[in-house]
Amino acid sequence: MRFRVKHVLAMIATLAVGAVATGDSLGAEDLGSKTLAPVTERFASRKVKETPSFQKHVVPLMSRLGCNGRACHGSFQGRGDFRLSLFGYYFKADHDAIFDKASPRVDLSVAPDESLIIAKPVDENEHEGGEIYARGSWEHQVFHRWIAGGAKHEADNIEKLDRLEITPSEIILRGVDEKVQLQVIAVWANGEREDVTPLCRFVTKNGDLAKVDQDGLISAGERGDTHVIVSYDKAVIPIPVMRPLTELVGRKYPKLESRTKVDSLVAVKLRKLGIVPSDIAGDAEFLRRLRLDMTGTLPMAEEVEAFLADQSPNKRTQKIDELLETPAYAAWWTTVLCDATGNNDQQLTNASVMRNSASKEWYDWIYRRVVENAPYDQLVAGMVTARSGEPGQSYTEFCEEMSDLYRKGSGKSFADLEQMTHYWARREFRNPEDRAVGFAYAFMGVRIQCAQCHKHPFDEWSKNDFDEFKKFFGGVTASTRPDRADQAEYKKIAKPLEAEYRKTLKKGETFNANRARRMYPKFLKDGRIVPFPVVYPVQSRIRMGDDPNDRKAPIKTVTSARLLGGSELDLTQYDDVRVPLMDWLRSKDNPYFAKAFVNRLWARYFNVGIVNPADDLAKANPPSNAALLDYLAKGFIDSGFDMKWVHREIANSDAYQRSWKPNETNAQDQRHFSRCVPRRLPAEVVYDALIAATASDTVVSAMHEGNDGRTIAVPGTGNGRSGTSYALKLFGRSTRESNCDCDRSDDASLLQTLFMQNDAETLAMLDARNRGWLDQVAREMGHKNGISSAGSRQVKRPANYEERMASLQTRISQARRTGNKKSLRQLTAQHKQYVQRFGDPNANRKAADDDEKFEPEKIVEQVYLRTLSRPPSDSEKERSARYLIEAEDKINGIRGLLWALINTKEFVVNH
């Protein structure tokens, strides 16, 4: 009776809540088909004759009851000598466990109710987990009828679930006491339909916003939006649940203009939630945000002034197009792609004959394609299907070609190669399991590692899905030597070089192959041919067993494999099994490839992905705006995988160009793009911004014209303990250890604050001679020797410093006249130490002489433009100018202002 009432409620809710139709809507052929009533009705009576299905009813019921959860029999150790597969769907293993001879849960020789699978759960004294269901309940009848029917499971006849039809498919709640019942219909591949609502697992993503009970009844909570996740069999379906944040919904919502398709799709969601977006950001705010997001670079002071003065209505679009052609754009987005694909120099020790060059070669190869705006699918194909040499080329010819490429003056580079083999040469990227996980992270935005051991708790993937998918990654070998067929050629090249290495060995030293390879760069310089590492396709082979690192486990050659969520392929039809893998990846029907890329880009521009985290496109982690993600993915595919199309589509939208300043409706919005969410700059961008803020105009101009010395263009992971590497590590640069976006950290820390305020490197940037802006200003103010003659850092001088230094100078002159070398040496050293610590004693006098060249308001404006990329407000200008005028040492005053601004949140945060 309870479920009948709930189903009536569900029908009413569909009308009252205004649920929209899902992609799994009923077709004409379904309208007349009969839907089986739920098991709560069919098994309510003890007179029922129906035999339940192990797959359709028994396993889902055990999942609903929590039997195969982590806290019960689904744990690694099991519970009470009984272990089930975690989260189910490993039907054969579960069925075998139920009939395990050591501790059988079903005994067909006794009455059904005497089997432990019934006897324990109905008795709170016998069952460690207490009473799970009552005798005579529908749950009891399901287990009883299954055992009475022989407790069968046809392991070779797993039925395929076609889809779940869930009503309503979207829920908008109005009142705090409102409740809505979900109804779930399973549609099987053979056309059978069944109401499986009581067999589903229902989980809310946010219990404060919406609660859901085990029967699928949703109760309204606080205002906001979330999802309820419905799981049955392999299917995992998210249902949006919203309660508007304000009363500005329907006709009350203000009329908004949407300039772009992105804006119209964002506005649809904002209307449902009653969120009004912030105003469009001012020109200075927009320029700084765009420059940092798109190029990882602070705008120059004159660039800000010119942009603010430009009255062109299209100047923002023109600036976007301009920045997409800059070297900094290519450098920064190459770094982003290196993060995603795993360019880790510590994993590439033997990938190239040139020591410590592989990570730079990887970087340069991607950089070339970003500059050329090569289609993204072609860029990825150049990595995924990479192999050493051209088809038909011998190993000797390959080594000759590569040796020529590395010679100085050849005019060639690694970036000229069509394929980038280093992707497969990483030290911890050798077994099929690691490759499958890394590939899914990098190019699909999918976290499939859970499915290595059990059914994925948040996605549709089973252990069998993972085992099938990993077969595509056993078909490639990366080695310092070629395959057996080319061993003779290898030895012909390597033996003479090894002989020369042996001549360098001292008495008692033994031959070491790695040390011998370190001499290859010298041999290349001498014009010799050296053997090169190779990557080549082989027949796919998989190590059996659950432990991929068990070297004793047998290895099996595989002849077929199934794509993730796709069809099964005959691998014997392909010379390289990675080719059909790449064809599937780039196909327009692939649900992950395009979405993963556009979502990662969106996250870089908005601080949060449409799916967040950006590399977790799981069914149970749905997009905050599915229509927006679908539009961007389709547009990306239709553009021919044009990366710049995505950048333009995002940056030209009002959603991106909105102010960070919230209004009363969107102050709490972090994921619906009604305003800019301030976020700390990435590590590389922070460091480069420090340089740009403190460097001379000449240095800053060079930073904009090229990438030499740019931190955003550092190829590897840079894990040193000092200098730039220390700063990058401190600010959370990606470690590139797992392909996960979580390898990069944007968390703030006290050490970051100390670095900005007191680190010797930061202070050295401020006081850099010839390259620093303070030095430039000092010279412009008439200090001939720049900052060194204008006083050093802000150190309080002793009283009567000038008089004491004048007395010391007199004593030095007297020692020089009398020829007292010892005294002269001591007094000169003392004078030098004073100057180094307290500055030129005549600096104030010289500064006074140059007061006419000192324009405090102009300097204040320049400091603000080069740090915060905006002019100061009137009050900021007045206070800062007064501080400079009152400073005893004008250069020290400017230094203090510059130091103060680089230590503001506004400097280190993009907004």
Side-chain angles (χ1 to χ4, degrees):
M1 184 66 183
R2 181 186 178 195
F3 263 85
R4 287 179 180 173
V5 173
K6 286 189 175 182
H7 294 160
V8 172
L9 286 173
M11 295 174 64
I12 296 173
T14 303
L15 299 173
V17 178
V20 298
T22 67
D24 295 328
S25 58
L26 293 172
E29 70 278 10
D30 295 311
L31 294 176
S33 60
K34 183 179 179 180
T35 300
L36 280 174
V39 289
T40 49
E41 295 181 19
R42 300 190 339 256
F43 290 86
S45 170
R46 295 185 180 184
K47 297 180 181 180
V48 63
K49 300 299 183 182
E50 179 185 349
T51 299
S53 160
F54 184 70
Q55 176 187 350
K56 294 180 178 179
H57 306 117
V58 176
V59 171
L61 179 53
M62 288 193 294
S63 294
R64 169 192 164 98
L65 296 174
C67 302
N68 54 23
R70 286 192 182 96
C72 200
H73 300 290
S75 69
F76 182 75
Q77 300 87 357
R79 188 66 66 88
D81 298 323
F82 179 41
R83 180 187 174 192
L84 293 169
S85 64
L86 186 60
F87 308 120
Y89 206 75
Y90 203 174
F91 300 121
K92 185 179 184 305
D94 287 344
H95 193 263
D96 290 346
I98 289 172
F99 282 93
D100 182 70
K101 292 181 180 180
S103 180
R105 257 41 186 180
V106 169
D107 185 350
L108 296 178
S109 66
V110 299
D113 286 359
E114 293 183 29
S115 287
L116 293 181
I117 202 170
I118 293 178
K120 274 181 170 286
V122 299
D123 190 329
E124 62 178 337
N125 295 320
E126 289 291 325
H127 191 240
E128 185 180 341
E131 183 184 274
I132 302 300
Y133 55 84
R135 287 186 182 275
S137 66
W138 67 267
E139 295 97 334
H140 176 205
Q141 294 301 323
V142 169
F143 286 115
H144 180 99
R145 287 304 308 157
W146 177 65
I147 298 171
K152 297 176 182 179
H153 167 56
E154 297 180 20
D156 298 327
N157 188 28
I158 301 299
E159 295 196 51
K160 182 179 179 181
L161 179 66
D162 184 63
R163 66 187 183 275
L164 292 183
E165 294 173 357
I166 303 177
T167 307
S169 59
E170 181 182 87
I171 298 171
I172 300 178
L173 302 166
R174 303 297 184 190
V176 68
D177 298 323
E178 189 170 355
K179 299 180 185 296
V180 174
Q181 172 65 47
L182 292 175
Q183 183 183 33
V184 185
I185 306 296
V187 182
W188 298 90
N190 61 7
E192 291 182 5
R193 299 167 57 83
E194 179 180 357
D195 186 334
V196 294
T197 307
L199 295 171
C200 293
R201 285 183 291 123
F202 301 95
V203 178
T204 178
K205 295 282 286 184
N206 189 327
D208 293 332
L209 304 183
K211 292 181 173 60
V212 63
D213 67 13
Q214 65 173 357
D215 298 323
L217 182 64
I218 296 173
S219 305
E222 298 175 5
R223 294 179 181 271
D225 79 307
T226 185
H227 287 81
V228 167
I229 309 301
V230 182
S231 302
Y232 174 78
D233 197 70
K234 280 189 70 175
V236 179
I237 307 295
I239 301 298
V241 181
M242 288 167 273
R243 186 180 170 211
L245 276 79
T246 71
E247 300 304 319
L248 297 175
V249 292
R251 294 181 179 179
K252 296 180 181 179
Y253 194 81
K255 187 176 181 180
L256 298 176
E257 179 184 359
S258 296
R259 291 190 307 110
T260 70
K261 182 65 174 178
V262 167
D263 294 316
S264 65
L265 293 171
V266 169
V268 169
K269 188 66 178 284
L270 296 182
R271 283 192 193 94
K272 291 178 180 179
L273 291 168
I275 296 175
V276 179
S278 295
D279 295 333
I280 300 299
D283 285 342
E285 186 178 326
F286 165 77
L287 178 62
R288 187 179 200 268
R289 182 189 306 165
L290 181 70
R291 256 291 184 185
L292 290 168
D293 282 340
M294 187 171 280
T295 70
T297 308
L298 273 177
M300 293 187 293
E302 55 265 38
E303 181 182 6
V304 178
E305 292 175 312
F307 191 74
L308 295 180
D310 188 353
Q311 298 301 310
S312 169
N314 298 319
K315 67 179 182 180
R316 295 194 177 191
T317 297
Q318 292 169 356
K319 177 58 71 171
I320 291 167
D321 291 339
E322 173 193 323
L323 295 186
L324 286 172
E325 304 303 321
T326 59
Y329 157 78
W332 175 232
W333 289 98
T334 296
T335 293
V336 172
L337 288 172
C338 283
D339 282 355
T341 54
N343 179 9
N344 185 333
D345 38 12
Q346 296 181 68
Q347 299 294 327
L348 293 166
T349 50
N350 291 320
S352 173
V353 298
M354 306 298 287
R355 289 195 68 193
N356 304 320
S357 69
S359 62
K360 186 177 188 309
E361 291 168 355
W362 186 322
Y363 182 94
D364 291 345
W365 190 91
I366 293 181
Y367 180 83
R368 170 79 63 83
R369 282 139 189 86
V370 175
V371 168
E372 296 172 350
N373 197 34
Y376 178 65
D377 66 322
Q378 290 183 18
L379 185 155
V380 173
M383 303 173 72
V384 172
T385 63
R387 60 191 298 171
S388 300
E390 301 294 331
Q393 189 179 46
S394 69
Y395 179 70
T396 301
E397 291 170 337
F398 164 69
C399 291
E400 288 173 346
E401 179 184 357
M402 294 299 292
S403 296
D404 182 56
L405 180 146
Y406 280 96
R407 287 198 185 93
K408 191 174 182 180
S410 69
K412 302 176 183 178
S413 73
F414 188 88
D416 296 331
L417 301 177
E418 290 188 11
Q419 299 179 317
M420 208 281 292
T421 54
H422 295 342
Y423 175 76
W424 296 99
R426 286 170 286 170
R427 193 172 61 227
E428 294 185 3
F429 198 67
R430 297 302 175 92
N431 69 57
E433 290 80 7
D434 290 339
R435 288 171 171 176
V437 170
F439 177 92
Y441 261 127
F443 306 122
M444 298 166 61
V446 173
R447 301 179 178 184
I448 62 171
Q449 61 268 36
C450 287
Q452 290 182 78
C453 303
H454 52 75
K455 166 72 171 69
H456 201 298
F458 309 118
D459 218 326
E460 61 187 289
W461 315 124
S462 66
K463 184 178 185 302
N464 184 59
D465 290 325
F466 182 89
D467 289 342
E468 285 292 318
F469 187 58
K470 75 179 182 182
K471 293 177 182 178
F472 288 99
F473 301 93
V476 58
T477 293
S479 175
T480 55
R481 297 188 175 206
D483 62 11
R484 293 179 181 179
D486 295 322
Q487 282 297 307
E489 292 184 69
Y490 171 82
K491 291 178 181 179
K492 186 176 180 180
I493 299 172
K495 288 298 182 183
L497 304 179
E498 291 177 0
E500 292 197 30
Y501 162 68
R502 290 179 188 277
K503 294 177 182 178
T504 67
L505 296 177
K506 297 178 181 178
K507 187 176 181 180
E509 287 185 326
T510 57
F511 176 81
N512 184 292
N514 287 328
R515 291 179 181 175
R517 279 194 291 271
R518 292 175 187 174
M519 294 187 66
Y520 286 178
K522 176 183 180 300
F523 294 141
L524 283 173
K525 187 177 180 181
D526 295 339
R528 307 282 291 276
I529 306 298
V530 303
F532 275 79
V534 288
V535 170
Y536 56 91
V538 295
Q539 192 170 9
S540 186
R541 306 176 74 204
I542 299 295
R543 192 175 296 279
M544 306 306 291
D546 293 333
D547 184 1
N549 298 311
D550 181 4
R551 312 308 296 178
K552 296 180 180 180
I555 296 176
K556 177 185 176 183
T557 299
V558 295
T559 58
S560 66
R562 190 172 65 249
L563 296 161
L564 206 59
S567 58
E568 186 171 338
L569 299 181
D570 181 0
L571 300 185
T572 63
Q573 301 300 308
Y574 302 94
D575 293 330
D576 186 345
V577 298
R578 299 171 300 166
V579 172
L581 177 68
M582 186 64 223
D583 290 342
W584 165 76
L585 187 67
R586 75 203 312 178
S587 67
K588 64 182 179 64
D589 297 324
N590 187 290
Y592 303 105
F593 184 59
K595 285 182 180 179
F597 181 80
V598 300
N599 189 55
R600 271 197 171 105
L601 255 67
W602 185 278
R604 291 285 179 176
Y605 281 102
F606 284 87
N607 190 48
V608 62
I610 303 172
V611 173
N612 199 62
D615 59 352
D616 188 15
L617 272 62
K619 299 289 187 182
N621 187 40
S624 60
N625 192 321
L628 175 61
L629 183 60
D630 289 341
Y631 164 72
L632 289 171
K634 184 179 184 302
F636 184 41
I637 295 170
D638 292 344
S639 72
F641 295 101
D642 182 348
M643 293 183 283
K644 288 184 178 179
W645 178 88
V646 185
H647 289 285
R648 288 191 178 96
E649 201 70 11
I650 293 173
N652 276 303
S653 69
D654 284 347
Y656 176 70
Q657 297 183 21
R658 294 199 181 281
S659 171
W660 65 271
K661 297 176 182 176
N663 56 48
E664 61 183 7
T665 72
N666 71 355
Q668 302 303 316
D669 179 29
Q670 298 281 331
R671 54 195 295 266
H672 297 296
F673 323 117
S674 64
R675 63 184 178 93
C676 170
V677 177
R679 62 269 191 194
R680 206 210 68 203
L681 297 175
E684 301 91 333
V685 181
V686 170
Y687 193 85
D688 275 354
L690 265 177
I691 295 174
T694 57
S696 68
D697 292 342
T698 303
V699 172
V700 175
S701 180
M703 290 176 69
H704 281 251
E705 293 171 2
N707 296 320
D708 289 346
R710 293 297 307 274
T711 311
I712 60 170
V714 173
T717 50
N719 290 321
R721 295 185 178 181
S722 60
T724 305
S725 295
Y726 169 73
L728 294 181
K729 183 178 180 180
L730 190 63
F731 282 93
R733 186 178 198 231
S734 177
T735 58
R736 299 177 185 168
E737 292 174 346
S738 66
N739 292 112
C740 176
D741 288 0
C742 58
D743 284 343
R744 178 180 289 275
S745 172
D746 292 328
D747 295 338
S749 72
L750 178 60
L751 286 176
Q752 294 169 8
T753 302
L754 293 175
F755 179 87
M756 299 289 287
Q757 292 182 353
N758 299 324
D759 194 88
E761 193 167 0
T762 303
L763 300 178
M765 290 182 192
L766 287 166
D767 290 333
R769 293 196 60 190
N770 301 319
R771 293 176 53 86
W773 182 69
L774 280 175
D775 188 77
Q776 173 188 321
V777 171
R779 294 176 189 277
E780 290 172 351
M781 288 174 58
H783 299 285
K784 184 178 180 181
N785 294 321
I787 198 169
S788 63
S789 61
S792 59
R793 296 180 193 156
Q794 289 187 357
V795 178
K796 184 175 178 63
R797 290 178 172 180
N800 302 320
Y801 176 65
E802 289 80 2
E803 290 82 354
R804 291 169 64 179
M805 289 294 283
S807 173
L808 183 59
Q809 189 63 54
T810 300
R811 293 168 62 193
I812 290 173
S813 300
Q814 184 177 359
R816 185 175 289 115
R817 284 196 307 271
T818 60
N820 189 338
K821 294 182 179 181
K822 181 179 179 180
S823 180
L824 178 62
R825 187 166 56 252
Q826 291 175 340
L827 292 170
T828 302
Q830 186 178 359
H831 184 277
K832 184 178 181 180
Q833 289 175 353
Y834 276 131
V835 171
Q836 286 178 341
R837 186 174 184 189
F838 302 114
D840 186 348
N842 299 314
N844 289 341
R845 190 179 302 113
K846 292 176 181 176
D849 294 340
D850 294 325
D851 271 351
E852 293 182 3
K853 301 177 184 179
F854 176 58
E855 302 176 83
E857 291 192 354
K858 184 177 180 180
I859 288 175
V860 168
E861 187 147 333
Q862 283 298 304
V863 175
Y864 270 81
L865 288 172
R866 67 176 21 252
T867 54
L868 307 185
S869 309
R870 64 171 176 84
S873 66
D874 290 342
S875 61
E876 288 171 334
K877 182 184 288 187
E878 189 274 328
R879 288 200 312 272
S880 300
R882 185 170 65 250
Y883 170 77
L884 296 185
I885 292 170
E886 294 174 356
E888 181 181 345
D889 185 323
K890 303 307 181 190
I891 296 300
N892 260 334
I894 300 170
R895 179 189 290 107
L897 178 61
L898 180 57
W899 178 90
L901 291 184
I902 64 175
N903 278 286
T904 59
K905 285 185 179 179
E906 188 175 353
F907 177 76
V908 81
V909 165
N910 196 6
H911 50 81

